[in-house]
């Protein structure tokens, strides 16, 4: 069972496990999840009081894991690094030459005049992702045209750009915004995000009717969401 407390501007969600023990223990895991192991007889109020007391420590641990993970996942833009495209893994190969990016076999080959110019490599690769994301997302949206027709919905425009910490959104003007990094994930995960946002054309909230509609067009969504969030393509 998951519970919540607020600490300053942070929201701490924790799961409680009851054990035959006398003291309460709090664990913060590298994925920032919080687990409370409580004595069998502890009341929710007692547990919450303990969690609140330890909140500064919990928040500090979460920040620590967060920064560590982010730097571990951050590419250095050198040959041999893993790059993702449509859920498949490719290796980055940096070569000297005029600026260009292309996918060949298991490689994402980038040529730049100066192989040490990592910011140029990064910019080239991101532009390549953006370009391919645009083509792919348009193709996927077209695939769900039947859904739009059936539900009487219409997309004003599809916008692909790098978003922070979210995969997509749907604006009040019926624009669908998709994170260009989503192109790194498998196609069925891409479809889940697109259908989710298309459902927001009808319902601008996450109420029961929204979930009904999502279930109708993407019954596998919980599995796909989990896969998307656990994938190595997330950084
Ligand atoms: Zn949503």
């Amino acid at each position: 069972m998951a519970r919540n407390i607020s600490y300053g501007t942070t929201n701490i969600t924790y799961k409680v496990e009851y054990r035959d023990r006398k003291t309460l223990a709090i664990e913060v895991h590298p994925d920032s999840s919080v687990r409370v192991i409580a004595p069998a007889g502890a009341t929710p109020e007692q547990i919450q009081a303990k969690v609140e007391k330890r909140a500064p420590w919990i928040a500090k641990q979460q920040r620590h894991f967060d920064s560590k993970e982010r730097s571990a996942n951050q590419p250095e833009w050198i040959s041999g690094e893993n790059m993702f495209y449509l859920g498949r893994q490719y290796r980055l190969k940096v070569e000297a030459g005029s600026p260009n990016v292309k996918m060949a076999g298991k490689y994402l080959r980038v040529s730049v005049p100066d192989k040490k110019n990592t910011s140029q490599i990064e910019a080239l690769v991101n532009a390549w992702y953006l370009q391919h994301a645009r083509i792919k997302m348009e193709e996927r949206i077209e695939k769900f045209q039947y859904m739009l027709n059936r539900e009487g919905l219409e997309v004003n425009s599809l916008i692909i750009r790098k978003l922070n910490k979210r995969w997509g959104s749907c604006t009040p003007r019926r624009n669908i915004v998709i994170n260009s990094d989503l192109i790194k994930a498998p196609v069925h995960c891409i479809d889940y995000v697109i259908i989710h946002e298309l459902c927001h054309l009808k319902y601008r909230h996450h109420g029961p009717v929204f979930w009904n509609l999502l279930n109708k067009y993407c019954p596998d969504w919980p599995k796909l969401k989990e896969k998307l969030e656990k994938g190595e393509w997330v950084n």
Side-chain angles (χ1 to χ4, degrees):
M1 174 190 343
R3 301 205 180 111
N4 263 296
I5 64 153
S6 296
Y7 167 66
T9 55
T10 357
N11 199 27
I12 298 175
T13 302
Y14 59 97
K15 276 193 177 148
V16 182
E17 262 180 52
Y18 293 95
R19 297 253 184 89
D20 188 16
R21 56 182 285 162
K22 291 231 158 38
T23 55
L24 180 142
I26 298 174
E27 295 172 352
V28 180
H29 295 263
D31 64 357
S32 282
S33 65
V34 180
R35 188 161 71 132
V36 177
I37 301 149
T43 66
E45 293 74 25
Q46 285 171 329
I47 295 168
Q48 188 181 324
K50 293 262 188 186
V51 174
E52 272 166 2
K53 215 172 137 193
R54 299 288 302 279
W57 174 81
I58 296 169
K60 195 179 158 198
Q61 293 296 307
Q62 287 179 325
R63 276 196 305 274
H64 169 74
F65 283 127
D66 205 30
S67 58
K68 208 167 138 190
E69 270 199 3
R70 213 173 292 153
S71 60
N73 270 340
Q74 224 43 255
E76 287 173 64
W77 307 105
I78 50 172
S79 283
E81 277 187 306
N82 290 330
M83 297 281 132
F84 285 88
Y85 180 68
L86 297 178
R88 286 186 293 269
Q89 210 173 340
Y90 296 85
R91 291 181 80 180
L92 184 67
K93 196 165 191 179
V94 182
E95 297 159 321
S98 48
N100 188 36
V101 181
K102 82 174 180 212
M103 190 164 264
K106 285 189 168 301
Y107 293 94
L108 186 66
R109 299 167 79 136
V110 183
S111 51
V112 275
D114 174 8
K115 284 164 70 177
K116 290 199 187 77
N117 189 347
T118 51
S119 53
Q120 190 180 14
I121 299 168
E122 178 177 5
L124 283 168
V125 173
N126 282 334
W128 185 90
Y129 274 132
L130 185 67
Q131 181 199 348
H132 285 77
R134 199 164 278 141
I135 298 166
K136 197 63 175 177
M137 304 306 166
E138 257 164 32
E139 177 198 306
R140 300 320 289 171
I141 288 240
E142 224 150 86
K143 209 192 146 209
F144 299 113
Q145 191 57 50
Y146 80 95
M147 164 191 170
L148 298 174
N149 294 342
R150 195 184 291 170
E151 301 295 331
L153 303 172
E154 208 184 337
V155 177
N156 182 37
S157 64
L158 173 66
I159 299 160
I160 313 293
R161 59 186 175 90
K162 221 169 157 78
L163 298 175
N164 258 335
K165 290 188 179 258
R166 57 193 306 189
W167 292 114
S169 68
C170 176
T171 76
R173 299 186 145 191
R174 291 178 289 106
N175 294 327
I176 301 287
V177 188
I178 300 288
N179 189 338
S180 54
D181 279 344
L182 190 60
I183 195 66
K184 298 173 185 177
V187 173
H188 47 272
C189 294
I190 295 177
D191 285 351
Y192 148 68
V193 174
I194 289 181
I195 299 171
H196 182 116
E197 299 311 333
L198 293 180
C199 290
H200 279 314
L201 290 169
K202 192 155 185 169
Y203 305 111
R204 304 206 37 82
H205 54 74
H206 288 137
V209 283
F210 170 86
W211 298 116
N212 280 344
L213 189 63
L214 181 60
N215 278 323
K216 185 171 162 189
Y217 292 100
C218 189
D220 275 349
W221 74 265
K223 248 196 279 175
L224 298 172
K225 181 174 190 274
E226 197 189 341
K227 187 169 183 183
L228 179 63
E229 280 160 13
K230 281 195 176 159
E232 291 173 78
W233 42 81
V234 183
N235 56 37

